[in-house]
Amino acid sequence: SQGDGRPFPIGFALGGSTSGTYAVVIRPDGSIIGPPEAVFPGLPVSEGVTAAHAGVADYRELRLAELPVRVLSTPVTRGAETYVVQVIGDRSSDVRTLDTLLLVLVAGGLLAVVLTQVGGAVYAERALVPIRESLRRQREFAADASHELRTPLTVVRGNLEQLGRNPGATVASLGEAV
């Protein structure tokens, strides 16, 4: 009631320019009940009104006056007349939040990939230190062993050549070479 015992006329129960949510009531003749600030280009949404007149609540996400909005149209029957209530919610802040979240996720994902690459390279370098040291020691050992074996192999080769030059000599005469 309005305080003096009279009931409120059909109209808004919510909405306004600061809430981002508007509600309009469409009479059976198509005229709109609602405050002037709620009436902007594109209202009422005719597809929603048509669906509501068919007895079905209709939900849509679309753009009105370049603003992303949600529109819920639902039928309300009073006697033999069917009114349509359209609730329009501004999605601009939701879209901005989702865009910011997407940016944060993409930037954070790229940063995580870069940090993973750098960290992986650092740890791989540390892990390779013992392997490189082992390979260095193996090469040194092979070089030292090769050098140490050259002298005895040279002596053996020389003695074999001397034996090859004297096939008819006795073991006694070639004793030192044998």
Side-chain angles (χ1 to χ4, degrees):
S1 105
Q2 295 183 21
D4 59 1
R6 293 180 299 140
F8 283 114
I10 294 176
F12 283 90
L14 60 107
S17 59
T18 59
S19 72
T21 304
Y22 299 98
V24 292
V25 177
I26 298 100
R27 292 185 180 109
D29 66 3
S31 62
I32 297 174
I33 302 171
E37 76 262 8
V39 182
F40 57 91
L43 285 183
V45 176
S46 59
E47 295 88 0
V49 173
T50 303
H53 277 300
V56 179
D58 182 66
Y59 173 80
R60 299 176 183 273
E61 289 188 7
L62 46 98
R63 294 184 85 74
L64 291 176
E66 297 303 316
L67 291 174
V69 295
R70 292 183 188 106
V71 179
L72 174 65
S73 304
T74 187
V76 176
T77 305
R78 278 185 79 144
E81 295 182 318
T82 300
Y83 292 81
V84 176
V85 176
Q86 275 192 349
V87 180
I88 300 96
D90 183 6
R91 292 183 39 235
S92 298
S93 65
D94 296 344
V95 170
R96 278 192 306 275
T97 301
L98 290 173
D99 288 345
T100 302
L101 179 62
L102 179 63
L103 177 66
V104 167
L105 288 174
V106 168
L110 289 175
L111 181 62
V113 168
V114 168
L115 290 176
T116 301
Q117 291 289 328
V118 169
V122 167
Y123 282 117
E125 189 66 31
R126 283 186 179 178
L128 288 175
V129 168
I131 295 170
R132 288 185 179 136
E133 182 63 24
S134 175
L135 286 173
R136 185 190 59 77
R137 285 194 313 235
Q138 184 180 11
R139 281 191 209 107
E140 284 178 5
F141 173 77
D144 290 347
S146 170
H147 179 71
E148 293 296 325
L149 289 175
R150 276 194 194 120
T151 303
L153 286 175
T154 304
V155 171
V156 169
R157 186 178 294 143
N159 287 338
L160 287 175
E161 286 177 8
Q162 185 179 359
L163 289 173
R165 283 191 221 124
N166 301 311
T170 63
V171 173
S173 68
L174 298 172
E176 204 174 298
V178 172

